[in-house]
Amino acid sequence: MTSTTTEAAVLDRETVDHLFEGTRTTHHFTDEPVDLEVISRVYEDLRWAPTAFNNQPLRLTVVTGEETRRAVVEHLMSGNKEKTLAAPLTLVAAFDPQWHEHMPFLTPGVPGLRENFADKTEARHGMGRDNALIQLGYLLVALRAHGLASGPMTGLDAAGVDTAVHSENGWKTIAVVNVGHAPDPAHDPSLTARGGRFEFTQASQIL
């Protein structure tokens, strides 16, 4: 008998460790610049991961100009300012509150989604933010997969950041992510010391 079940590929342990346990969040980077083509490939990968109705509300502003970076930094908590000024590259992650306008293209198999959400502003914004946060997680893993380190931060005045980079498109900031190449852990003890993690039995229940 021929099986109709397709077995999903299983990543090797070394690759899984690189994506999760073996790589650290960092706010310290080398001076090596970040190739914007790599950032483009990161997005090309993360866009295939699931969101509600395939709504894909995440939007990224790639901050390359020093003037724009300083305008963003002005709206960060004091502890995040120097980290961002020193990072090789900064991404502003946001959601598009008008994501529903793209549903005929993104989910053509479910007619009427655009019209259904058109007058449901609160629900639309909630769904947009929730799914952009999910996509933010995909972004961080995709950055690791492409050999980049990141330092995500939510300590900011989101409305202030919006005035700096979203005044023309209406996107809504959810986080700022500094991106670069991590230094050798041997030269930076902060990359080896890490906080605890809950075991599965501590963070889960089976009912």
Side-chain angles (χ1 to χ4, degrees):
M1 178 182 293
T2 302
S3 173
T4 58
T5 301
T6 301
E7 288 192 18
V10 177
L11 298 178
D12 62 85
R13 191 68 243 173
E14 183 178 358
T15 300
V16 174
D17 282 345
H18 173 72
L19 295 177
F20 295 99
E21 184 180 357
T23 303
R24 291 293 314 277
T25 295
T26 183
H27 295 290
H28 305 279
F29 303 96
T30 69
D31 294 331
E32 184 179 352
V34 176
D35 186 347
L36 296 186
E37 181 59 34
V38 176
I39 299 299
S40 176
R41 293 200 295 270
V42 165
Y43 182 81
E44 288 296 309
D45 287 336
L46 78 87
R47 68 190 179 124
W48 297 107
T51 53
F53 296 113
N54 191 38
N55 64 344
Q56 298 186 51
L58 180 70
R59 303 291 183 267
L60 299 176
T61 298
V62 183
V63 180
T64 58
E66 193 60 27
E67 183 178 348
T68 303
R69 185 194 297 261
R70 290 189 176 277
V72 169
V73 165
E74 182 180 340
H75 303 287
L76 304 184
M77 290 177 56
S78 58
N80 292 333
K81 293 178 185 286
E82 297 254 348
K83 299 172 186 177
T84 303
L85 289 172
L89 187 70
T90 297
L91 306 177
V92 177
F95 75 92
D96 182 0
Q98 303 300 324
W99 57 264
H100 67 297
E101 294 289 352
H102 306 283
M103 296 314 293
F105 164 68
L106 294 172
T107 311
V110 184
L113 285 175
R114 176 172 58 189
E115 293 74 18
N116 184 53
F117 282 100
D119 60 352
K120 298 177 180 176
T121 305
E122 185 176 351
R124 194 174 73 240
H125 283 212
M127 187 176 290
R129 178 178 173 80
D130 288 349
N131 282 272
L133 286 168
I134 292 171
Q135 286 189 287
L136 176 62
Y138 302 147
L139 170 67
L140 301 180
V141 174
L143 287 167
R144 291 182 175 188
H146 284 268
L148 293 170
S150 66
M153 302 176 298
T154 55
L156 48 82
D157 172 11
V161 176
D162 289 342
T163 64
V165 295
H166 298 145
S167 60
E168 295 186 7
N169 53 38
W171 300 346
K172 302 297 183 184
T173 300
I174 57 174
V176 166
V177 183
N178 291 323
V179 180
H181 298 272
D184 186 337
H187 300 137
D188 188 348
S190 69
L191 295 178
T192 55
R194 66 191 313 168
R197 298 293 192 275
F198 292 120
E199 299 290 341
F200 175 75
T201 53
Q202 295 173 294
S204 309
Q205 62 177 354
I206 301 174
L207 303 177

